[in-house]
């Protein structure tokens, strides 16, 4: 079935450092791809998404490009802030259409001042 | 437009008791998903419901767990005779249907003593 493999953490960066969190997927067809963020003690918030190959999702300085040829959707940010400390999850629908999401295991990011 | 609401936010039960978790989807959303997050792990799908119907319960344990989404009122996830292994965060998500983004509630953190 469809699956997501996500870079394991934890990742610790200094403020203003460059961030990359790797995500690769296995899927039938070309599903939408998502990044969700979970701040401590909270639920998941949609960070960004891409719905087709070569699309770039972006939000709050984060970006991810849907790469069909490498089946990847890596999350990047040019300059992280302490407030970006959270757990980041890559996800895709289990099947096409309105179906449950399959999540990666999550990557914990800590940004230190 | 209020987001997805879940209550209680925290629930403590002793082994053998029942746990009832409630989820009110966003206004206009008729699709509800329940996920479980074990400590330091990603979210795992449990059950997908539309109003009055269970669409997919393939992620739900066969015994002790049940879910409903009545015509009126919130969706309920019910766990009977809880065991320590049920301790987790339970998240509800909703969507309007079709291949749309799922929006998550803040979660219910269940602790079984």
């Amino acid at each position: 079935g469809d699956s997501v493999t996500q870079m394991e953490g934890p990742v610790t960066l200094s403020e203003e450092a460059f961030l990359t969190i790797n995500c690769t997927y296995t899927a039938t067809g070309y599903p939408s791809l998502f990044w969700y963020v979970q701040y401590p003690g909270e639920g998941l918030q949609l960070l960004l998404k891409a719905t087709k190959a070569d699309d770039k999702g972006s939000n709050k300085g984060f970006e991810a490009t849907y790469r069909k040829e490498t089946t990847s959707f890596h999350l990047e940010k040019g300059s992280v802030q302490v407030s970006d400390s959270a757990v980041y999850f890559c996800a895709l629908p289990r099947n096409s259409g309105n179906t449950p999401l399959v999540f990666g295991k999550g990557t914990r990011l800590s940004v230190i001042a | 437009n209020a987001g997805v609401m879940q209550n209680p936010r925290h629930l403590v039960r002793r082994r053998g008791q029942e746990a009832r978790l409630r989820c009110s989807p966003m206004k206009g959303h008729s699709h509800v998903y329940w996920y479980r997050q074990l400590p330091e792990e990603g979210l795992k799908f449990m059950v997908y419901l539309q109003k009055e119907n269970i669409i997919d319960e393939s992620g739900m344990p066969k015994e002790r767990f049940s879910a409903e989404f009545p015509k009126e009122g919130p969706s309920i996830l019910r766990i009977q005779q809880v065991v320590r292994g049920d301790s987790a965060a339970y998240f509800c998500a909703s969507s309007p249907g079709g291949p749309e983004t799922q929006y998550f509630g803040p979660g219910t953190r269940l602790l079984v003593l």
Side-chain angles (χ1 to χ4, degrees):
Chain A
D2 294 359
S3 64
V4 173
T5 300
Q6 187 175 341
M7 164 182 168
E8 294 201 19
V11 174
T12 302
L13 295 174
S14 298
E15 215 167 15
E16 300 183 2
F18 183 86
L19 169 71
T20 300
I21 300 178
N22 291 339
C23 171
T24 57
Y25 66 90
T26 303
T28 304
Y30 304 106
S32 295
L33 301 173
F34 303 87
W35 276 100
Y36 281 85
V37 58
Q38 184 179 30
Y39 297 102
E42 298 185 12
L44 274 70
Q45 301 176 25
L46 178 67
L47 180 60
L48 55 83
K49 70 177 183 181
T51 58
K52 61 183 187 295
D54 299 325
D55 261 5
K56 178 185 283 188
S58 60
N59 185 26
K60 300 181 180 179
F62 290 89
E63 293 183 338
T65 301
Y66 191 158
R67 302 262 186 227
K68 183 178 63 175
E69 59 278 5
T70 55
T71 61
S72 65
F73 193 54
H74 304 323
L75 182 67
E76 297 181 335
K77 186 174 185 182
S79 176
V80 294
Q81 305 299 314
V82 172
S83 57
D84 294 327
S85 298
V87 182
Y88 293 82
F89 294 95
C90 187
L92 79 168
R94 194 172 61 181
N95 301 303
S96 61
N98 191 40
T99 67
L101 293 171
V102 175
F103 287 88
K105 291 189 174 181
T107 302
R108 182 177 298 278
L109 170 66
S110 296
V111 180
I112 53 178
Chain B
N1 188 10
V4 178
M5 299 175 69
Q6 289 187 250
N7 67 81
R9 294 291 303 275
H10 300 275
L11 182 61
V12 179
R13 286 286 180 265
R14 297 194 180 279
R15 281 179 297 169
Q17 292 184 318
E18 178 180 287
R20 281 188 181 235
L21 288 61
R22 295 175 187 78
C23 168
S24 296
M26 288 179 69
K27 187 176 181 180
H29 288 192
S30 58
H31 296 244
V32 165
Y33 305 80
W34 286 93
Y35 296 85
R36 176 164 66 176
Q37 183 180 35
L38 295 171
E40 302 302 318
E41 291 192 16
L43 278 72
K44 299 282 194 236
F45 164 72
M46 299 183 73
V47 62
Y48 164 31
L49 310 102
Q50 293 182 36
K51 282 287 187 181
E52 301 185 273
N53 290 305
I54 295 175
I55 305 302
D56 184 345
E57 56 182 348
S58 59
M60 194 114 90
K62 293 287 185 287
E63 297 179 354
R64 302 188 298 108
F65 286 72
S66 62
E68 62 177 11
F69 188 14
K71 187 176 180 181
E72 301 292 337
S75 175
I76 306 286
L77 179 67
R78 182 182 178 205
I79 311 172
Q80 295 178 289
Q81 300 174 339
V82 295
V83 301
R84 288 214 175 108
D86 297 332
S87 295
Y90 292 82
F91 291 96
C92 166
S94 74
S95 77
E100 296 291 335
T101 301
Q102 296 178 22
Y103 294 88
F104 283 78
T108 294
R109 284 153 180 83
L110 171 66
L111 176 62
V112 180
L113 300 177

